[in-house]
Amino acid sequence: MNTRNGRVVLRSFPAGGPRGSWPAEEFAQARRLEGERAEVVMDLASDAFLVVQQGGEGIE
């Protein structure tokens, strides 16, 4: 796992995905259902959507 600005990058998805497909959002939602605080952010430098978790800690 990669860490950026106190966030753990769980997975990266290319920004040019198929139209109507939101794989990063779907992955983040699945992590949230498992109790993790996952969110999607855009990394302009790599032109990718990152699913990140703040501090790498789950919801308590």
Side-chain angles (χ1 to χ4, degrees):
M1 287 186 201
N2 188 4
T3 303
R4 294 185 187 184
N5 298 330
R7 296 177 178 173
V8 176
V9 178
L10 301 176
R11 190 156 173 200
S12 175
F13 295 86
R19 185 174 212 175
S21 175
W22 300 92
E25 290 291 347
E26 292 167 358
F27 182 81
Q29 177 63 21
R31 301 298 68 79
R32 288 190 291 268
L33 291 173
E34 294 174 354
E36 297 183 36
R37 292 184 289 193
E39 63 179 314
V40 178
V41 296
M42 179 68 182
D43 181 19
L44 296 175
S46 65
D47 193 31
F49 291 107
L50 306 177
V51 178
V52 298
Q53 183 178 33
Q54 188 68 30
E57 300 172 1
I59 297 173
E60 298 194 30

